[in-house]
């Protein structure tokens, strides 16, 4: 049966003498049990006692409540699976991944992608399409709404089964998911035309976040094993989206840095940096540079860039031609590398990180550009230059971060929601 959701009442508070009320204590215990169940295939009461330090009666009571709320299910006992040895088989619990789904959206300026994932973050459907960046805010809201409807249909997921949606936008977003509405911020509000209100009306939990921040969330998840092994570079790094516009996500000492208005990674400061002068990304700079070269007739007749239609004269074509040794493309890539070196020097100087991850759709094809960037970066920095690497997550980096964020939001608020038929 399709799960339905209802908000559970929770009015537990700490008493004036500082003693935690029973309802708050029960919520804390349930949250702790569910945290462990979220990352394990199966757990017994004994496992949970060892992991949480709670008593057996408390663990069993919490598990029963989480089963009633639809979050846990009881697995077949060890005897039925052939793992039973002797004595009474222990009751085994697991997260019920059928309890709901989440939606992650990369609401970019020129391209949009939406994915549906289960509660373990496994993607079950994906839809992507282009969008007219010159369209109105209303057009943008409608395009995202239709995109989400289409990915749910493609995934075979009923909208009532969605618990949360997280959207990445090329704009700052505060804790409430709103972008600054101030003089000169028209672009920001256009990129984020009240997506919170749009999807809250569907009864879903909604998270709206800067797209570079979500990319950083995805990179942090991908580098979690290295962080656990003590690699400091996995705990403090910058994720740099570098397509149409530069945007940065900062992870310092293992925590995402957002700022009071969610604008910590806003790159308008590049307007002030000599040799950069704008937040235009690698994709935009290479496209405009090669089109200008064609209009000025400075591309030699034998260059593969000369034979391309105008609408294919984009950054990927320049990068591919440079990889093939084309002189014009190599010259454009060298200029872009110097510019990127300046950008990375600014980020490294401000944040003292040892790793900068260049992410987005262009990441798989920028190996040569990054090779050319490293000498420039060493020239611009006054200490050991940070490592600059290409993300391995490609054009999925923002949607993967959105799924991570949506699942985390559901986990944080699970006790407020009851699922199940």
């Amino acid at each position: 049966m399709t799960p339905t959701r209802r908000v559970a009442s929770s009015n537990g508070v700490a008493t004036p003498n500082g003693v935690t009320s029973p309802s708050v204590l029960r919520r804390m215990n349930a949250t702790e049990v569910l945290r462990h169940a979220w990352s394990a295939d199966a757990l017994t009461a004994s496992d949970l006692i060892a992991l949480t330090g709670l008593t057996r009666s408390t663990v069993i009571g919490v598990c029963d409540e989480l089963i009633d709320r639809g979050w846990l299910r009881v697995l077949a006992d060890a005897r039925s699976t052939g793992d039973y040895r002797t004595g009474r088989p222990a009751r085994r619990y697991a997260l019920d991944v059928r309890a709901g789904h989440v939606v992650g959206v990369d609401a970019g300026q020129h391209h949009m992608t939406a994915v549906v994932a289960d509660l373990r973050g496994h993607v079950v459907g994906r839809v992507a399409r282009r969008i007219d960046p010159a369209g109105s805010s209303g057009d943008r809201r409608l395009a995202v709404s239709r995109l989400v409807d289409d990915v749910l249909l493609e995934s075979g997921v009923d909208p009532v089964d969605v618990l949360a949606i997280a959207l990445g936008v090329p704009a700052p977003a505060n804790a409430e998911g709103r972008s600054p509405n101030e003089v000169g911020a028209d672009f920001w509000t256009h990129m984020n035309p009240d997506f919170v209100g749009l999807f809250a009306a569907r009864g879903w939990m909604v998270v709206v976040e800067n797209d570079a921040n979500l990319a950083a969330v995805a990179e942090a998840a991908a580098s979690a094993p290295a962080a656990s092994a003590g690699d400091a570079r996995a705990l403090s790094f910058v994720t740099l989206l570098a397509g149409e516009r530069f945007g940065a996500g900062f992870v310092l000492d293992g925590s995402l840095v957002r700022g009071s208005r969610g604008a910590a990674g806003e790159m308008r400061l590049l307007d002030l940096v000599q040799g950069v002068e704008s937040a235009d990304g690698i994709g935009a700079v290479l496209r405009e540079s090669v089109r200008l070269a064609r209009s000025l007739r400075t591309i030699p007749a034998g260059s593969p860039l000369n034979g391309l239609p105008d609408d294919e004269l984009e950054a990927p074509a320049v990068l591919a031609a440079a990889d093939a040794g084309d002189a014009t493309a190599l010259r454009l890539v060298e200029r872009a590398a110097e510019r990127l070196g300046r950008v990375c020097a600014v980020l490294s100087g401000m944040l003292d990180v040892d790793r900068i991850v260049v992410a987005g759709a262009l990441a798989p094809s920028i190996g040569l550009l990054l090779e050319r960037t490293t000498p420039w970066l060493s020239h611009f920095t006054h200490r050991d230059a940070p490592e600059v690497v290409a993300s391995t997550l490609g054009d999925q980096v923002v949607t993967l971060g959105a799924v991570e964020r949506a699942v985390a939001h559901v986990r944080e608020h699970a006790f407020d929601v009851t699922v199940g038929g």
Side-chain angles (χ1 to χ4, degrees):
M1 181 178 294
T2 301
T4 57
R5 294 174 287 113
R6 57 188 183 276
V7 177
S9 62
S10 178
N11 58 359
V13 295
T15 59
N17 63 4
V19 177
T20 304
S21 71
S23 59
V24 170
L25 186 59
R26 187 173 70 252
R27 180 190 182 98
M28 292 169 59
N29 291 339
T31 299
E32 181 67 5
V33 167
L34 193 56
R35 181 174 71 86
H36 292 288
W38 217 285
S39 57
D41 292 332
L43 291 166
T44 65
S46 295
D47 294 330
L48 288 168
I49 291 167
L51 290 167
T52 65
L54 300 173
T55 66
R56 178 171 293 276
S57 61
T58 297
V59 164
I60 292 174
V62 166
C63 288
D64 287 343
E65 180 170 6
L66 290 172
I67 290 169
D68 290 341
R69 288 179 176 271
W71 289 111
L72 293 186
R73 62 191 178 97
V74 179
L75 300 176
D77 63 37
R79 179 182 287 115
S80 64
T81 64
D83 294 330
Y84 172 68
R85 296 293 181 266
T86 184
R88 182 179 179 181
R91 199 181 194 196
R92 302 186 305 146
Y93 304 96
L95 176 73
D96 192 345
V97 294
R98 304 165 301 179
H101 288 80
V102 299
V103 177
V105 179
D106 177 3
Q109 183 181 1
H110 294 262
H111 297 84
M112 292 182 169
T113 304
V115 300
V116 178
D118 65 21
L119 294 181
R120 287 268 169 76
H122 301 136
V123 173
V124 298
R126 183 178 188 268
V127 173
R129 60 177 58 117
R130 292 184 63 89
I131 183 173
D132 181 3
S136 69
S137 295
D139 292 338
R140 187 171 176 79
R141 279 169 59 91
L142 182 60
V144 172
S145 182
R146 286 177 173 170
L147 183 72
V148 170
D149 289 339
D150 290 347
V151 76
L152 290 174
L153 183 64
E154 193 268 347
S155 306
V157 173
D158 194 306
V160 76
D161 191 31
V162 175
L163 300 178
I165 182 171
L167 303 99
V169 296
N174 63 17
E176 288 73 44
R178 313 288 181 180
S179 295
N181 185 12
E182 57 190 40
V183 176
D186 293 346
F187 176 79
W188 292 343
T189 52
H190 179 66
M191 290 295 102
N192 180 19
D194 190 24
F195 286 136
V196 170
L198 177 64
F199 290 106
R202 299 193 183 196
W204 302 346
M205 293 184 282
V206 186
V207 177
V208 176
E209 182 62 271
N210 173 260
D211 53 2
N213 283 348
L214 290 182
V217 168
E219 293 294 339
S223 62
S228 298
D231 186 345
R233 294 173 302 174
L235 291 172
S236 295
F237 62 91
V238 174
T239 300
L240 185 65
L241 287 181
E244 289 300 315
R245 292 178 63 82
F246 282 123
F250 307 146
V251 174
L252 301 180
D253 298 326
S255 298
L256 180 69
V257 178
R258 302 181 67 258
S260 61
R261 298 182 303 163
E266 172 56 33
M267 302 297 282
R268 287 190 177 186
L269 63 87
L270 295 178
D271 294 352
L272 309 176
V273 177
Q274 182 180 6
V276 181
E277 280 96 23
S278 80
D280 292 343
I282 293 170
V285 166
L286 288 179
R287 179 180 62 245
E288 295 308 313
S289 296
V290 71
R291 291 184 180 184
L292 176 61
R294 173 181 280 183
S295 70
L296 296 176
R297 301 182 183 278
T298 59
I299 302 178
S303 171
L305 298 174
N306 247 334
L308 292 175
D310 287 344
D311 61 353
E312 294 182 20
L313 210 58
E314 299 277 352
V318 177
L319 293 167
D323 285 338
D326 179 69
T328 298
L330 285 169
R331 186 173 67 253
L332 297 178
V333 165
E334 186 69 28
R335 291 177 184 170
E338 178 185 356
R339 188 170 181 273
L340 179 59
R342 293 177 184 271
V343 172
C344 291
V346 170
L347 294 172
S348 172
M350 287 193 304
L351 300 169
D352 191 28
V353 295
D354 293 318
R355 186 166 63 106
I356 297 173
V357 183
V358 183
L362 288 178
S365 57
I366 60 172
L368 178 62
L369 189 149
L370 294 188
E371 287 180 17
R372 301 295 181 95
T373 297
T374 299
W376 285 109
L377 179 55
S378 297
H379 175 72
F380 294 134
T381 54
H382 301 288
R383 60 180 185 86
D384 291 341
E387 176 188 30
V388 182
V389 299
S391 170
T392 61
L393 303 180
D395 62 357
Q396 300 182 64
V397 65
V398 175
T399 52
L400 289 174
V403 166
E404 286 278 341
R405 186 68 181 85
V407 170
H409 193 77
V410 170
R411 191 168 58 223
E412 292 162 8
H413 296 85
F415 205 68
D416 298 322
V417 177
T418 299
V419 296

